[in-house]
Amino acid sequence: MTPTPWTDDTPHPLVPEETTPPPVADAAEPEGLPPAEAGLAPLPSQAEVKSEDEARQRRRLWAVLLALLLALCGVGFLFSRYVRRPEPLPEMLPVPVEVNYPPHFLFAFYDVNGPLGIALSPSEDRLYVTEGEGDRLVKIFDTEGNLLRAFAPPRTTAAERAPVYVAVDARGRVYVTDRLQHAIFVYDAEGNYLDTILGPDLTLSEYIAKHTGFKPRPGTFAYDWFEEEVHYQDPQGRRRTLPRPDRPTWAPLGVAFDAQGRLLVTDVALGAHRVLVFSPQVAAQDDWSDFQPEVWSFGEFGEAEDQLQFPNMVVVDALGRFVVSDGNNGRLSVWDAQGVWQMLVGTGGGGGGLNLPRGLALDARQRLHVVDAVGQVVRVYDFSEAQPEFLFAFGTAGTLSGQFHYPNDIAIASDGRLYITDRANDRVQVWSY
Amino acid sequence: MRKWLWLLPVFLSGALLLNLAGTAWANGGPHGGYTPTTDACAGCHRAHTAQGPNLLTATSTYELCMSCHGAAGTGADTNVADGKFVAARSPSTEGEANTADNGDLLGGGFVNYKTAAVTSIHNSDGTLMAAWGFGVARGQTANLPSSLTCASCHDPHGSPNYRILREQIAGNAVTVDQVDEGPANKDYDDEHWPDNVSNVCVACHGAYHVTRPNSAEDNSDNGSGNADYGGDISTYAHRVGMNYAYGGNADPEATGYGGYFLPLTASKNVACQTCHLPHGTSASMSTLATAPFTNDSALLRLDNRGVCEVCHQK
């Protein structure tokens, strides 16, 4: 077959032949159409159609410009917010985070001396931080690090108190352990002193009530371990004293509440390192002038698998297990809901090997954050399954942003923010997922 | 009967071995007594990811020690910041640890002592310190071979010395007899000092080590001479190592004076630590006592010159 040669007169085989458009009827005077009086609207003229098209195009343009302007404003807002305080995208936009990646350093605040313990208020708008140095106060900050106020046990000087860990119950009452006072001091959300838990079965208000027959009002009594007398006001407002109570045989160190409202305390009294589990009655009571909670304990001092050496903190995971930071044994000790020892986590080397575990905090996904004081990092383990697994660690040793110098405790907010006491750097670091 | 006597040395040797086996190499805790497969090393060291010298996980020795021995007592009952023993004693262990609740530690405190702020300390945060009596007169600049830390005097891995004191400090051998406190005698607020406990101080403050009166040869100044004392140091510096009764003095430990007491060694001898607290003191000094060094309490145990009066009662 011989191909047909292409010439200028013949259409190109690959180019579609130009077609002649059909003649356009005059829109103003359509032929063969009934007049307007017949009930049909007259067709718009060409100019009107063009005008409508232009108007539509203008509207479309304005809409696009408006959308661009709004987007620009949004980007500008985010940019300005980022410039003011750099934050990762998940924090700026409430994007649910489901992947396991380490958090980012946000900022730090410094109005603290040797911070040790930290806890969030139930509404998560306040932080309670204990100081191990300086005036040894408990300080209240907002979540941006602004100091709101500070407080301390009544009648004590800085040399007579050593606040360590802090917990907040569902009502917002603040519980602070004190190593020199051998007690747990309880305050209201503003830091006003309420009472002292002197031992597993005795409070200061109960002691006074038993000896005087009346229930003392908060703020009208006090006891300093280094004094020989308890001070209180009688119902007439007169200042009175009582001989001090017998010295307690416990040394409360860590303190926390679990989801059931049980008060959890680690006790490091000589030769009796253990965990005390108080019934939810403690947190449910309006006051503690009749303090008879059910208390049980587990653990004993030693290096064996089911023993503890300076247990610093305890949390209860979603499976009901007690997880204890077994400080001087350098590991996590896991116990079942009945207090029967189950397993060790964080032993040995590698990223998951713990040096000196202290503060603990679980997030909503059952990721346990362990502050490794001497390792200078926070190590994170997945406790959502029966067999916990190491996930990752974050932080390095040093004094720069995001670096730790003997960190001690951690609190986690539901928005994914982490608050970590950085003891020897005299600051609280704020991180975020 | 006599034919069984050969068993006696065997029995005694066995008893001795059993006794030694139960003797800890240190004062307890993570400081010594390691097994061949111990996990204790990882508490402070990392073989390949260390952050500080000696494979430590951190750079500051002082803060490392304070992470357990600080005011929080998060890892130890000996709170050296406040000079307190903070373990509440439970009835079941009453016979094993004789230290009183919140008893004052023998070495004093680095931040507070006897619930008052310290007025002088052995600054052990790594600062280069003057060591008076180390060949220079008091008040001159430092000449320690290195900066002072907790580990300058204490061996964190344990030692046969009392309170895990080093056997060599500032390059000088330190011989301090071990006092076997054992679990039954362990006591942090009562002295169980060997008679040569002053040797710890002598390692740096050698020129102050005067053991006999009126002799130019009675000091052990580590060969650095006594130029700053003009030769016979015993003329210018208080003796140590003698019995408290020398010169007819009262017993500062049992009798005291005006309610104040000072500790003595096992043989009732005077040591450097009889008058000075190695860590820090909260003693206050008035006008005369501060001269010529203003606001310096010189680690003395008592206010002003109370340490003189307790023995000499002038």
Side-chain angles (χ1 to χ4, degrees), chain B residues 228-304:
Chain B
D228 49 321
Y229 288 103
D232 185 1
I233 191 172
S234 65
T235 305
Y236 304 97
H238 196 288
R239 289 178 64 202
V240 293
M242 72 294 191
N243 189 273
Y244 77 87
Y246 178 81
N249 295 309
D251 184 342
E253 193 170 41
T255 309
Y257 184 54
Y260 295 98
F261 300 88
L262 291 174
L264 298 169
T265 70
S267 301
K268 306 287 275 184
N269 291 343
V270 174
C272 303
Q273 294 92 331
T274 296
C275 298
H276 298 280
L277 286 159
H279 290 174
T281 182
S282 57
S284 62
M285 299 292 134
S286 304
T287 310
L288 288 175
T290 61
F293 307 108
T294 307
N295 299 324
D296 187 351
S297 55
L299 298 174
L300 286 168
R301 288 181 178 271
L302 302 177
D303 291 348
N304 294 319

Side-chain angles (χ1 to χ4, degrees), chain A residues 136 179-180 182 328 355 358 374, chain B residues 42 57 67 72 75 82 86 102:
Chain A
R136 298 182 183 176
R179 281 286 266 151
L180 283 176
H182 296 286
N328 287 15
N355 295 76
R358 293 276 167 82
V374 169
Chain B
T57 54
S67 66
D82 298 312
V86 294
N102 280 354

Side-chain angles (χ1 to χ4, degrees), chain A residues 103-112 115 118 127 129 143-145 371 376-378 394-412 416-432:
Chain A
H104 304 263
F105 171 80
L106 295 183
F107 65 98
F109 53 91
Y110 288 83
D111 282 336
V112 283
I118 190 165
L127 288 161
V129 183
T143 52
E144 296 305 303
V371 180
Q376 319 289 353
V377 295
V378 177
F394 62 89
T396 56
T399 57
L400 304 176
S401 294
Q403 294 185 324
F404 295 116
H405 203 194
Y406 298 96
N408 199 74
D409 198 14
I410 183 170
I412 302 180
R417 271 197 179 191
L418 315 172
Y419 301 91
I420 302 157
T421 51
D422 190 9
R423 180 180 63 83
N425 279 330
D426 292 322
R427 65 187 179 186
V428 173
Q429 290 197 33
V430 185
W431 292 59
S432 177

Side-chain angles (χ1 to χ4, degrees), chain A residues 286-308:
Chain A
D286 292 328
D287 66 68
W288 299 280
S289 56
D290 182 18
F291 188 70
Q292 302 298 329
E294 293 175 16
V295 185
W296 60 280
S297 67
F298 61 85
E300 61 180 10
F301 179 81
E303 298 178 1
E305 286 184 328
D306 59 349
Q307 294 178 322
L308 303 168

Side-chain angles (χ1 to χ4, degrees), chain A residues 53-340:
Chain A
D53 284 347
E54 285 175 355
R56 198 177 298 125
Q57 281 178 358
R58 272 199 301 274
R59 282 199 298 272
R60 204 173 291 155
L61 186 64
W62 277 113
V64 169
L65 284 175
L66 190 63
L68 281 174
L69 189 65
L70 286 173
L72 195 63
C73 287
V75 170
F77 170 74
L78 291 175
F79 180 73
S80 64
R81 188 175 157 186
Y82 182 83
V83 167
R84 278 184 284 119
R85 178 164 292 169
E87 292 175 282
L89 197 58
E91 170 131 333
M92 291 192 284
L93 303 171
V95 178
V97 179
E98 294 297 337
V99 292
N100 282 314
Y101 61 82
H104 304 263
F105 171 80
L106 295 183
F107 65 98
F109 53 91
Y110 288 83
D111 282 336
V112 283
N113 280 310
L116 291 164
I118 190 165
L120 273 161
S121 63
S123 55
E124 298 189 347
D125 60 344
R126 285 179 168 202
L127 288 161
Y128 297 90
V129 183
T130 59
E131 290 185 313
E133 295 165 21
D135 289 333
R136 298 182 183 176
L137 302 169
V138 183
K139 289 184 170 175
I140 309 176
F141 294 90
D142 67 19
T143 52
E144 296 305 303
N146 298 307
L147 178 62
L148 302 178
R149 61 180 304 183
F151 55 92
R155 297 189 66 85
T156 61
T157 64
E160 293 171 337
R161 58 186 178 241
V164 189
Y165 288 106
V166 55
V168 185
D169 69 15
R171 297 186 185 192
R173 294 178 297 194
V174 184
Y175 299 66
V176 182
T177 56
D178 196 301
R179 281 286 266 151
L180 283 176
Q181 293 286 329
H182 296 286
I184 301 174
F185 290 91
V186 189
Y187 308 85
D188 68 15
E190 301 301 319
N192 299 307
Y193 170 74
L194 296 176
D195 208 339
T196 308
I197 301 176
L198 296 169
D201 57 359
L202 182 66
T203 62
L204 184 55
S205 63
E206 182 182 43
Y207 177 78
I208 295 171
K210 279 182 178 173
H211 285 79
T212 63
F214 75 90
K215 191 164 69 175
R217 288 180 295 105
T220 65
F221 57 91
Y223 166 57
D224 171 8
W225 194 97
F226 295 95
E227 293 183 332
E228 292 299 312
E229 294 174 323
V230 170
H231 297 259
Y232 69 98
Q233 285 182 7
D234 66 16
Q236 287 73 43
R238 292 172 296 199
R239 294 190 173 193
R240 302 286 191 185
T241 59
L242 282 171
R244 66 165 173 81
D246 290 339
R247 294 269 156 78
T249 55
W250 75 334
L253 179 63
V255 62
F257 284 94
D258 70 359
Q260 299 177 41
R262 293 182 298 184
L263 175 65
L264 312 173
V265 177
T266 62
D267 179 12
V268 293
L270 195 64
H273 291 202
R274 58 184 179 160
V275 175
L276 297 168
V277 183
F278 289 74
S279 63
Q281 178 191 352
V282 174
Q285 282 182 266
D286 292 328
D287 66 68
W288 299 280
S289 56
D290 182 18
F291 188 70
Q292 302 298 329
E294 293 175 16
V295 185
W296 60 280
S297 67
F298 61 85
E300 61 180 10
F301 179 81
E303 298 178 1
E305 286 184 328
D306 59 349
Q307 294 178 322
L308 303 168
Q309 268 202 72
F310 285 92
N312 264 239
M313 187 52 76
V314 54
V315 295
V316 178
D317 69 10
L319 301 176
R321 298 175 295 191
F322 295 93
V323 186
V324 185
S325 58
D326 189 6
N328 287 15
N329 282 327
R331 63 198 185 190
L332 299 173
S333 186
V334 184
W335 306 65
D336 73 10
Q338 284 71 47
V340 178

Side-chain angles (χ1 to χ4, degrees), chain A residues 330 346-356 372 374-375 379, chain B residues 39 41-52 54-58:
Chain A
T347 57
L354 288 160
N355 295 76
L356 199 60
D372 191 338
V374 169
R379 304 187 199 276
Chain B
D39 189 40
C41 311
C44 302
H45 300 282
R46 278 289 189 258
H48 306 293
T49 54
Q51 303 285 347
N54 301 317
L55 297 178
L56 285 170
T57 54

